[in-house]
Amino acid sequence: MNYLSTRGGMPPTPFTGVLLEGLAPDGGLAMPETYPQIDAATLDRWRGLTYPDLAFEIVSLFVTDIPASTLRELVRDTYTAAVFGSDEITPVSELEPGLHLLHLSNGPTLAFKDIAMQLLGRLFEWALAQRGEHLNILGATSGDTGSAAEYAIRGRHGIRVFMLSPHDRMSAFQTAQMFSLQDENIFNLAVRGVFDDCQDVVKAVSNDLDFKSRWHIGTVNSINWARLLAQIVYYFKAYFAVTRSSAERVSFSVPSGNFGNVCAGHVARMMGLPVSRLVVATNENDVLDEFFRTGHYRVRGGAGVKQTSSPSMDISKASNFERFIFDLVERDPDRVRGLWRDIDHDGDMNLAATPYFARVADFGFRSSRSTHADRVTTIRRVHADFGVVVDTHTADGIKGALEQREAGIPMVCLETAQPAKFADTVREALGRDPERPARYRGLEALPQRFEVIDADADAVKRYIAAHSD
Ligand SMILES: *Cc1c(COP(=O)(O)O)cnc(C)c1O
């Protein structure tokens, strides 16, 4: 299996060649040359597999340049009950007949990003050891991504994490989750500024190509192909959990920001998983909902991003969206390049009057949009009707699921975070705090390890240089 760039400027490259990279050299995103096709007989065979065995079957179709025995070991070491709370790894529960919740947030940081990031940490460690190299991961976070990356890489050889976050602006829980890590390869930099300042510093450091290569700077951002790959697995796992025969179809509703999670569902569908609808659920930051309703994709620009109570979906543009557009335009890289030229130039692309937009529904995509009031209503309703407490992001997904459900087709809502992570809105909806998993009680009282730093690229560069070798 080789990978191509959505913009056509990368020679066919095997998995390990794209594993440690962000963007392709031409600014595009890595895509598998073809989608392996899964027939009904294979689905029947996979139906009884454990999560790690299923993950190995799927991942090994896309990773042909890591020895199978190594890959199997990495996958098995990643997906354990000790890390994810149960042997099922991603259990499915029933809210009512035909409406299900796929639990993706039982990993170390209580959000679905752990599922991909935990595998990524092991793959990175293995690949770096093979090459005799090391890597300094530099990132900016306002919450979920940074903590998932730190928990995946803590204690691993050959990798350090330098994570910038806005000083005093994350929730006490999120701050404690990151800053309580005492591992020597984890560096928390609390930046005097807001999240955008953190991101600007990361960009400035990454744009200094000499510094970047001298200090082996890398990222773990959401366009990384390996992250998307790891997320394909649970679409299959959930399908098996809610069907009895591989002739049945299932729909999924996915709380979406950068389009990574739902894009993994798209890939699963392209591989032949019998999917009816993929509901792209957004919050007030509705770039994607607007596209799926109208064919017009309008990036919002930094100032246009609204701060919402489902903050992990607060985005101005959806970085993985280019992957779907590549498939939509029949994998024509010239077309993708042209469309992204429009976006870079005018901030938008409009497919409304093209034959492409007419084909969007053929891929199963539907969309929805939620407001803060919708989230509060949904959290209350899900609690009253089903006795289940969900977080704000999951609530956005459930709203979309209820709007887009079809008779006779099971709808699976992806639970992307634990309510304990977003306690304020849950308290507003239910009048009490969500329960916190036992291992996180008393988290805020643990000693914290972090450095306060100015929003200044040179200061961050000096810090990295002083703490690397
Ligand atoms: C990251 C995140 C999302 C959005 O996922 P994408 O892959 O960026 O679309 C949704 N919910 C939670 C809790 C997240 O952390």
Side-chain angles (χ1 to χ4, degrees):
M1 171 67 76
N2 280 316
Y3 290 83
L4 312 167
S5 164
T6 49
R7 303 204 189 166
M10 179 173 81
T13 306
F15 176 78
T16 56
V18 299
L19 171 63
L20 300 171
E21 303 303 324
L23 289 174
D26 60 353
L29 276 64
M31 284 290 270
E33 220 162 28
T34 58
Y35 292 122
Q37 291 302 299
I38 307 307
D39 58 16
T42 309
L43 284 177
D44 288 341
R45 193 160 50 77
W46 285 358
R47 187 170 277 279
L49 296 182
T50 62
Y51 193 99
D53 287 349
L54 178 64
F56 172 72
E57 293 292 333
I58 293 171
V59 170
S60 62
L61 296 171
F62 293 91
V63 180
T64 49
D65 58 334
I66 297 179
S69 56
T70 304
L71 190 59
R72 189 183 281 280
E73 211 171 291
L74 292 173
V75 167
R76 282 204 177 144
D77 290 347
T78 301
Y79 297 112
T80 64
V83 175
F84 289 99
S86 72
D87 284 326
E88 289 175 282
I89 308 298
T90 62
V92 176
S93 62
E94 188 182 85
L95 293 176
E96 67 181 15
L99 186 66
H100 306 267
L101 208 52
L102 169 60
H103 299 268
L104 302 177
S105 58
N106 294 317
T109 72
L110 308 182
F112 87 102
K113 292 191 173 67
D114 288 328
I115 294 179
M117 211 70 94
Q118 288 285 321
L119 181 63
L120 199 73
R122 287 183 193 271
L123 288 167
F124 271 33
E125 184 179 48
W126 179 83
L128 290 165
Q130 289 292 303
R131 299 180 186 188
E133 291 175 6
H134 62 269
L135 188 68
N136 287 319
I137 287 172
L138 175 64
T141 190
S142 52
D144 290 345
T145 311
S147 56
E150 291 188 355
Y151 279 74
I153 287 168
R154 62 186 296 201
R156 303 220 163 277
H157 297 290
I159 324 179
R160 293 186 194 85
V161 178
F162 295 88
M163 191 57 67
L164 278 53
S165 59
H167 185 38
D168 275 341
R169 282 176 198 261
M170 290 190 296
S171 74
F173 181 85
Q174 284 179 316
T175 307
Q177 208 176 29
M178 290 176 51
F179 292 6
S180 65
L181 289 182
Q182 300 296 331
D183 307 77
E184 277 175 17
N185 67 334
I186 303 297
F187 299 92
N188 284 302
L189 299 178
V191 173
R192 292 188 188 93
V194 295
F195 173 65
D196 283 335
D197 298 319
C198 301
Q199 240 177 349
D200 288 345
V201 169
V202 169
K203 270 188 211 146
V205 174
S206 303
N207 286 339
D208 180 342
L209 298 183
D210 287 338
F211 182 86
K212 200 177 162 195
S213 72
R214 164 82 180 80
W215 296 103
H216 307 276
I217 303 293
T219 59
V220 285
N221 49 23
S222 78
I223 53 168
N224 184 291
W225 166 256
R227 280 181 64 180
L228 205 140
L229 171 57
Q231 293 170 352
I232 297 170
V233 178
Y234 50 71
Y235 285 90
F236 281 85
K237 190 71 184 156
Y239 176 80
F240 296 133
V242 305
T243 61
R244 285 164 178 271
S245 121
S246 305
E248 294 174 57
R249 287 189 304 159
V250 169
S251 293
F252 294 91
S253 182
V254 188
S256 293
N258 276 320
F259 203 74
N261 200 356
V262 76
C263 194
H266 163 70
V267 175
R269 188 185 157 282
M270 296 300 278
M271 292 169 70
L273 187 70
V275 172
S276 177
R277 291 185 174 174
L278 289 168
V279 183
V280 181
T282 71
N283 62 18
E284 292 90 334
N285 295 291
D286 55 356
V287 220
L288 289 167
D289 178 52
E290 182 175 57
F291 173 79
F292 286 107
R293 279 186 299 101
T294 68
H296 198 176
Y297 181 71
R298 291 186 306 134
V299 306
R300 301 297 199 253
V305 181
K306 303 188 177 86
Q307 287 206 12
T308 76
S309 48
S310 44
S312 300
M313 294 156 58
D314 293 350
I315 47 108
S316 57
K317 59 179 186 324
S319 29
N320 279 290
F321 189 51
E322 185 170 336
R323 290 195 153 107
F324 167 61
I325 295 296
F326 182 60
D327 284 340
L328 182 67
V329 301
E330 291 160 39
R331 300 194 145 214
D332 176 351
D334 296 333
R335 179 73 57 173
V336 174
R337 264 203 317 277
L339 291 171
W340 257 264
R341 208 176 304 126
D342 293 349
I343 292 174
D344 291 341
H345 194 259
D346 311 323
D348 75 335
M349 76 171 159
N350 197 344
L351 299 184
T354 70
Y356 296 123
F357 185 55
R359 295 185 57 220
V360 166
D362 299 344
F363 289 86
F365 282 110
R366 298 289 189 281
S367 67
S368 71
R369 175 187 195 275
S370 306
T371 62
H372 178 73
D374 292 325
R375 282 187 277 284
V376 170
T377 306
T378 305
I379 291 170
R380 259 184 215 142
R381 179 172 166 194
V382 168
H383 183 249
D385 292 355
F386 312 124
V388 173
V389 181
V390 294
D391 94 291
T392 49
H393 306 76
T394 307
D396 290 337
I398 292 174
K399 174 173 182 282
L402 294 172
E403 289 167 1
Q404 296 289 344
R405 224 170 149 182
E406 300 160 279
I409 299 182
M411 172 63 84
V412 176
C413 305
L414 276 60
E415 182 212 53
T416 55
Q418 292 276 321
K421 266 195 125 160
F422 302 95
D424 289 352
T425 306
V426 175
R427 197 180 309 119
E428 179 183 340
L430 304 180
R432 62 176 172 81
D433 278 329
E435 237 178 88
R436 190 183 275 200
R439 66 182 189 280
Y440 281 105
R441 299 204 183 112
L443 179 71
E444 288 90 338
L446 295 176
Q448 300 194 350
R449 182 167 170 269
F450 64 99
E451 195 91 32
V452 180
I453 197 164
D454 284 333
D456 169 18
D458 287 324
V460 170
K461 285 184 200 171
R462 279 195 301 275
Y463 187 89
I464 293 172
H467 294 85
S468 312
D469 41 47

